[in-house]
Amino acid sequence: QASPFIFISERRLPLSSRAVQNLIERAGVVAGIEFPVNSHALRHSAGFRLANSNMNVRRIQNWLGHKQISHTVTYT
C-alpha cells in the first residue's frame, strides 16, 4: 500500500524531522560533497532548478508553499 509520506521507516511509519535531516546529512557525506548538506539546502536547490527550467514563478511559489511572492523571486 502506498504511503502519503515521502520518508518512511521499514515499518512503513513516517520518519521524524530529525531522522530525515540525519539521513540527508549522511547522504551528503557518502556522496563526497565537501560542504554540509541539509534539507533546507535541498529545498533551495529545487527552487533554483524549477526557476532555471523556466517554470512560472507563481507555480514555484505554490509548489514551495510561500505565502509571499517576494520569497520566491529569489530563485529567478
Side-chain angles (χ1 to χ4, degrees), residues 11-60:
R11 295 179 182 163
R12 311 225 18 103
L13 299 172
L15 294 179
S16 69
S17 296
R18 185 68 227 158
V20 173
Q21 290 170 1
N22 286 336
L23 178 72
I24 292 169
E25 289 169 9
R26 285 195 314 261
V29 170
V30 169
I33 298 173
E34 296 180 2
F35 52 87
V37 176
N38 56 56
S39 55
H40 196 72
L42 290 178
R43 180 178 169 82
H44 280 298
S45 296
F48 281 112
R49 174 67 177 104
L50 294 172
N52 287 335
S53 66
N54 296 321
M55 179 181 273
N56 178 283
V57 71
R58 291 290 181 179
R59 287 189 66 202
I60 298 170

Side-chain angles (χ1 to χ4, degrees), residues 7-8 12-13 16 20 24 36 44 49 51 61-62 64 67 69 71-72 76:
F7 297 100
I8 58 173
R12 311 225 18 103
L13 299 172
S16 69
V20 173
I24 292 169
H44 280 298
R49 174 67 177 104
Q61 177 187 13
N62 185 52
L64 292 173
K67 292 182 181 178
I69 192 70
H71 296 144
T72 310
T76 59

